Amino acid sequence: MKFVVQKEVLIKSLKKVYRATSNKIANFSFDKIFLHVQNSFLNLTYLDSEVTIVTKVKLVYSDQDGSIVVSIRKFYEICSNAQNGSEICFVFDEKKLTILYERSKFSILIFRESEFPKLINWTSQVDFRISQIELRKLILSTKVSIGSHDTRYYLNGILLQNNENYIRAVSTDGHRLSVSQTYVKFSNYEKFSIILSKRGVVECLRLLENSDNLLRVSIGKKDFKMNMDDFSFCVKLVNGNFPNYQDIFLKTNKKVVVLDRIQFKNMCQRAMILLNDKNQSACFVFESHLAKITTKNFNHGEYEETIKVQYQDSIIKICLNVKYVLDVLNIIQCERIKIEMIDSISYVRIQGMSNQLSFYVIMPVRI
């Protein structure tokens, strides 16, 4: 079997697969890629215990269909070192794969196809289409609150659920919560609620582009899958029950502060100068038309700043993790934001004034 492919075309697809293996490459059983030539296309398949990625490459030439299994690390390193604009020729016999370009010749050993895990077919329960950029924004807006190695494993991911013609993404680590939603038109509406793992979140962000091209999303009992013309990605879902986050929105009588996002962000960044990893909390005081922040570090000193805001309610004093506040302000792109509070011991809700589809909740710090 012999086939030829353009270097740039191959590397663009191969990178999508190789990046998913970077943290698994130490495990020899996962250092394999399945190459399948069919109808002048090369399919690259990677599979481990959590994810499956398949990409498709248009070939310049192929003399017959066939398939082989090789080391993904060596395959990537050899192909990526070819000069841009060159064509890479692959010749396969029963024992080795020969790779030719320019004046270079490589011969690498192959594995038996039986050593490569078998793809498991599953039936989807929900299918819908969404643009790459909308799904990417949805994940980017909420990934900041994903738990990190939490023993409550269901917090180490993002909850995805639908409500009529909207998909909502929710994440929380117990100290903060992010909620975002986007419009999706369902051809056959069927309610779903799944938890996308942290690994799935990372790989989705690697694969999704800032493009309006539609992709098809399929959801099964245990799997989440994205399909495009040139790639497909599948990841196992987290098996667990996400906390009932909607209970915290039942409280009323909220105090609302409206202020400039950049001005507030700069104030919080200056507050971080005297803080450290062990102490990242600051005291916020909101009173008539003013917002004041104070921080204290016994080793370095104190910081205090006051800015003008739109607020005409009673004085409220609350302590928050400044890093959590900055994380939210870096995600929100609106010029003005609103901060909703109830009292000094209840949650704070932050939202962009021109974006009603996303909001963020931060729990106060008790000092």
Side-chain angles (χ1 to χ4, degrees):
M1 181 178 70
K2 178 180 179 180
F3 58 94
V4 180
V5 64
Q6 193 75 24
K7 187 246 182 171
E8 287 82 3
V9 176
L10 175 62
I11 294 302
K12 181 181 178 181
S13 294
L14 188 55
K15 277 183 178 179
K16 294 178 180 179
V17 180
Y18 184 73
R19 287 172 180 171
T21 70
S22 58
N23 60 341
K24 295 281 185 179
I25 209 75
N27 190 329
F28 181 74
S29 61
F30 295 135
D31 183 26
K32 297 182 180 72
I33 186 170
F34 183 73
L35 310 178
H36 179 63
V37 176
Q38 185 177 24
N39 299 329
S40 297
F41 280 93
L42 171 65
N43 291 318
L44 309 168
T45 303
Y46 172 77
L47 174 65
D48 63 31
S49 58
E50 293 181 75
V51 305
T52 302
I53 300 179
V54 181
T55 62
K56 183 184 291 187
V57 180
K58 176 67 176 176
L59 296 176
V60 176
Y61 166 82
S62 65
D63 61 354
Q64 66 182 76
D65 295 345
S67 55
I68 52 174
V69 179
V70 296
S71 165
I72 187 170
R73 188 209 306 262
K74 296 305 177 186
F75 186 77
Y76 176 80
E77 290 176 351
I78 292 171
C79 296
S80 61
N81 274 281
Q83 290 187 3
N84 292 334
S86 62
E87 292 184 348
I88 306 176
C89 178
F90 301 88
V91 181
F92 162 63
D93 58 32
E94 295 181 355
K95 295 183 179 180
K96 63 184 179 182
L97 174 67
T98 302
I99 305 174
L100 305 160
Y101 55 77
E102 301 149 19
R103 296 185 178 182
S104 301
K105 178 181 178 181
F106 297 88
S107 294
I108 58 176
L109 298 178
I110 62 173
F111 300 99
R112 295 189 301 271
E113 289 189 28
S114 59
E115 296 182 38
F116 192 82
K118 296 295 183 182
L119 292 173
I120 300 175
N121 294 323
W122 51 274
T123 303
S124 64
Q125 298 177 328
V126 179
D127 291 279
F128 61 90
R129 291 186 177 273
I130 185 173
S131 67
Q132 291 194 57
I133 190 170
E134 286 300 324
L135 183 56
R136 181 177 174 82
K137 284 181 180 178
L138 195 67
I139 296 174
L140 281 174
S141 298
T142 51
K143 77 180 186 71
V144 68
S145 300
I146 294 177
S148 179
H149 306 293
D150 200 303
T151 54
R152 297 165 294 179
Y153 57 90
Y154 46 82
L155 298 184
N156 299 322
I158 290 179
L159 172 71
L160 293 177
Q161 56 184 191
N162 61 340
N163 182 17
E164 296 181 351
N165 286 329
Y166 286 90
I167 290 182
R168 176 179 292 173
V170 186
S171 66
T172 180
D173 58 6
H175 304 285
R176 51 184 170 171
L177 180 140
S178 302
V179 180
S180 184
Q181 58 185 19
T182 188
Y183 175 80
V184 173
K185 186 176 181 180
F186 293 94
S187 55
N188 294 312
Y189 179 78
E190 186 169 345
K191 201 168 184 63
F192 67 85
S193 181
I194 61 171
I195 302 176
L196 188 63
S197 68
K198 194 170 186 177
R199 172 89 186 280
V201 169
V202 171
E203 299 304 336
C204 282
L205 291 177
R206 284 177 178 171
L207 293 169
L208 294 171
E209 300 175 350
N210 292 321
S211 167
D212 291 326
N213 293 334
L214 293 177
L215 57 83
R216 188 175 81 252
V217 175
S218 302
I219 298 173
K221 288 184 178 180
K222 299 180 180 179
D223 302 272
F224 172 90
K225 187 175 184 179
M226 300 188 306
N227 283 288
M228 282 286 292
D229 293 335
D230 59 345
F231 81 87
S232 68
F233 167 74
C234 182
V235 62
K236 293 187 180 299
L237 298 173
V238 176
N239 183 19
N241 295 318
F242 200 82
N244 184 8
Y245 64 94
Q246 298 184 9
D247 288 348
I248 66 173
F249 306 127
L250 299 178
K251 298 179 180 179
T252 56
N253 301 323
K254 296 178 181 178
K255 305 177 189 296
V256 181
V257 181
V258 178
L259 65 164
D260 182 88
R261 181 182 68 89
I262 297 298
Q263 190 179 25
F264 188 53
K265 176 183 173 181
N266 291 338
M267 184 174 72
C268 291
Q269 286 177 332
R270 287 188 283 269
M272 286 291 294
I273 295 174
L274 296 182
L275 299 177
N276 53 46
D277 293 338
K278 293 183 179 180
N279 176 26
Q280 295 183 335
S281 60
C283 180
F284 294 83
V285 178
F286 299 95
E287 53 185 315
S288 180
H289 302 293
L290 294 174
K292 179 181 177 181
I293 183 173
T294 57
T295 60
K296 183 180 294 186
N297 187 311
F298 293 105
N299 296 322
H300 299 290
E302 300 179 5
Y303 163 76
E304 178 181 304
E305 184 175 349
T306 303
I307 61 173
K308 292 183 178 180
V309 299
Q310 293 181 19
Y311 180 66
Q312 293 180 327
D313 212 317
S314 58
I315 296 177
I316 186 168
K317 179 179 179 181
I318 191 167
C319 293
L320 300 172
N321 185 308
V322 183
K323 183 181 181 302
Y324 291 173
V325 176
L326 280 172
D327 287 341
V328 171
L329 297 177
N330 286 327
I331 296 172
I332 296 176
Q333 298 300 312
C334 306
E335 291 184 4
R336 298 182 67 76
I337 62 171
K338 65 177 179 179
I339 301 176
E340 298 179 350
M341 299 166 287
I342 300 171
D343 50 45
S344 60
I345 60 173
S346 299
Y347 68 87
V348 170
R349 171 170 162 159
I350 305 175
Q351 186 174 22
M353 291 294 292
S354 59
N355 181 8
Q356 301 301 312
L357 297 178
S358 302
F359 62 87
Y360 304 87
V361 172
I362 301 176
M363 299 303 294
V365 178
R366 297 187 180 183
I367 301 178

